[in-house]
């Protein structure tokens, strides 16, 4: 069951993942890094809830923004492999920042070097 705390963490993750991309497009690396830190902190707090927290993050696989979907999928490759790969494969089809990020996540997964959410 997704608690109110988890719902807030998911919203925070999505907000900061989107803001990170927006800051990158503005050329504001400092803001992008701050937003990246905030989204990772939200994910780490979700992980303290175990698989329930990971399931909460997986709700972002259908988020309207591709960057948010991709960020969530990249973190959940180990736990929700088939679903996460499908999200990343769809995102990887284009050109640009988000497709590149998706391609890199998939590449690391296939190489066996992916380690964003240790068991």
């Amino acid at each position: 069951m997704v608690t109110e705390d988890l719902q807030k963490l998911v919203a925070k993750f999505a907000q900061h993942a989107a803001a990170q991309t927006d800051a990158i497009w503005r050329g504001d690396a400092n803001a992008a890094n701050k937003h990246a830190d905030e989204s990772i902190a939200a994910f780490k707090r979700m992980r303290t809830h175990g698989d329930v927290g990971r399931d909460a993050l997986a709700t972002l696989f259908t988020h309207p923004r591709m960057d948010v979907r991709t960020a969530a999928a990249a973190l959940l490759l180990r736990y929700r492999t088939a679903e996460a790969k499908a999200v990343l494969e769809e995102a990887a089809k284009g050109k640009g920042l988000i497709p590149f990020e998706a391609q890199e996540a998939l590449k690391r997964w296939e190489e066996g070097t992916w380690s964003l959410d240790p068991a």
Side-chain angles (χ1 to χ4, degrees):
M1 180 175 145
V2 177
T3 65
E4 185 176 333
D5 180 48
L6 282 173
Q7 289 174 345
K8 288 178 183 177
L9 289 171
V10 169
K12 181 178 179 180
F13 179 92
Q15 172 194 350
H16 287 288
Q20 177 186 4
T21 303
D22 295 344
I24 290 169
W25 285 118
R26 288 192 314 272
D28 188 346
N30 288 334
N33 288 335
K34 288 178 186 177
H35 289 297
D37 291 344
E38 289 292 330
S39 64
I40 294 300
F43 176 60
K44 286 181 178 179
R45 287 194 49 215
M46 281 183 255
R47 279 195 337 206
T48 66
H49 295 267
D51 290 344
V52 173
R54 289 175 179 88
D55 288 335
L57 184 62
T59 63
L60 294 178
F61 287 174
T62 59
H63 193 275
R65 286 187 59 148
M66 185 187 300
D67 54 346
V68 174
R69 293 192 306 268
T70 301
L75 291 169
L76 293 175
L77 271 167
R78 179 188 58 79
Y79 178 66
R80 303 275 287 260
T81 305
E83 294 167 274
K85 280 182 74 177
V87 169
L88 292 170
E89 287 166 352
E90 181 64 29
K93 289 179 181 176
K95 294 197 182 295
L97 177 65
I98 305 310
F100 174 75
E101 291 173 350
Q103 292 163 11
E104 287 298 304
L106 289 166
K107 178 181 170 185
R108 302 290 178 259
W109 179 256
E110 296 303 323
E111 290 174 343
T113 59
W114 177 93
S115 61
L116 298 175
D117 181 25

